[in-house]
Amino acid sequence: MRTEYHSVPLVLRSGSYRGLAATANHFARETHMDALAHAAKINPLEFRLKNLEDARLRAVLEAAAKKFGWPSAKQEGRGFGIAGGHEKGSYVATCAEIAVDKKSGAVRVLRLVTAFECGAIVNPDGLRNQVIGANIQGLGGALFEAIEFENARITNPRFSRYRVPRFRDVPEIEAVLLDRKDLPPAGAGETPIMAVAPAIGNAIFDATGTRLNALPLVPNGLKKT
């Protein structure tokens, strides 16, 4: 393993994103994990399970895959992706189905299934809302949300110019909650977002053979990325 750190002076003030650095780190790790699986010619889920010792992470991956129907028969122009991870004492796995329009290059997320485990569940409705809300927010960071800069100034400082997920962007979302009554409850506000972007990116690769390694994935459509 080789790790490098480059200190960069910040010109603009920065703030925290949901999931903090874990969202970006999981995107990098799970995108690379998918690439390794394809290089080894092994199903991405099978590849993860084959090299996984953490029983809790295994459980959410298997739960998400079962609910999703992984692997599924797909149509031309569609793809499936999976990603998972853990942070702040809780575990998440997300499966995504996407469709790519060949003419326009537009990418649409059709379905997300997220399995989540944060120990004992205290408030099932509240937890489900956190998971689904995180999935919706994750769509923006995955597909098109970006701060644009020019001459050290933000050029899209208003919501009229900064695109966030809207009703038309929201796919079918299913939340699978794993109740571990033998474990103390952990936080659920941030971790559910972490697997959304890598699952979508891996699904885009499955559909097109194009590996995207930067976020947002397709701010202007796949052909212009």
Side-chain angles (χ1 to χ4, degrees):
M1 177 185 292
R2 178 179 176 181
T3 303
E4 294 183 355
Y5 170 76
H6 301 276
S7 179
V8 179
L10 296 179
V11 178
L12 299 169
R13 185 178 63 184
S14 63
S16 299
Y17 186 74
R18 190 173 187 172
L20 307 176
T23 304
N25 291 341
H26 276 77
F27 172 75
R29 280 197 296 267
E30 287 298 285
T31 299
H32 187 61
M33 189 71 71
D34 196 73
L36 290 174
H38 284 281
K41 295 181 172 56
I42 301 176
N43 181 285
L45 174 62
E46 180 185 345
F47 182 82
R48 285 169 171 80
L49 297 178
K50 183 178 180 180
N51 294 281
L52 186 61
E53 296 181 355
D54 191 321
R56 295 175 70 184
L57 184 52
R58 176 183 292 272
V60 291
L61 284 166
E62 290 178 337
K66 181 178 179 180
K67 186 68 173 180
F68 186 79
W70 181 284
S72 303
K74 65 179 183 180
Q75 304 174 19
E76 184 179 357
R78 295 194 180 187
F80 304 120
I82 190 169
H86 61 90
E87 180 73 12
K88 297 179 174 63
S90 52
Y91 289 72
V92 66
T94 297
C95 293
E97 179 182 0
I98 64 96
V100 180
D101 187 297
K102 283 188 175 182
K103 292 183 178 180
S104 66
V107 174
R108 178 165 179 78
V109 180
L110 304 176
R111 185 163 63 113
L112 293 174
V113 174
T114 292
F116 186 66
E117 186 261 286
C118 58
I121 297 176
V122 177
N123 183 339
D125 289 339
L127 179 58
R128 190 175 302 277
N129 287 334
Q130 285 287 355
V131 173
I132 293 176
N135 274 242
I136 294 172
Q137 184 178 358
L139 290 171
L143 296 172
F144 42 71
E145 277 192 52
I147 299 290
E148 298 172 358
F149 304 95
E150 186 175 347
N151 298 324
R153 291 183 177 275
I154 297 175
T155 60
N156 58 341
R158 297 178 293 277
F159 281 120
S160 60
R161 300 177 64 182
Y162 181 91
R163 186 182 174 192
V164 296
R166 296 183 169 88
F167 286 117
R168 66 173 180 269
D169 299 311
V170 178
E172 175 187 348
I173 301 175
E174 296 179 81
V176 181
L177 307 181
L178 279 64
D179 190 4
R180 288 291 304 270
K181 297 186 183 301
D182 56 316
L183 297 172
E190 297 185 287
T191 306
I193 198 175
M194 299 187 316
V196 175
I200 292 173
N202 294 338
I204 291 174
F205 176 82
D206 183 52
T208 66
T210 299
R211 176 70 66 187
L212 303 176
N213 295 310
L215 295 173
L217 294 164
V218 284
N220 301 303
L222 189 61
K223 292 185 176 181
K224 299 178 181 180
T225 299

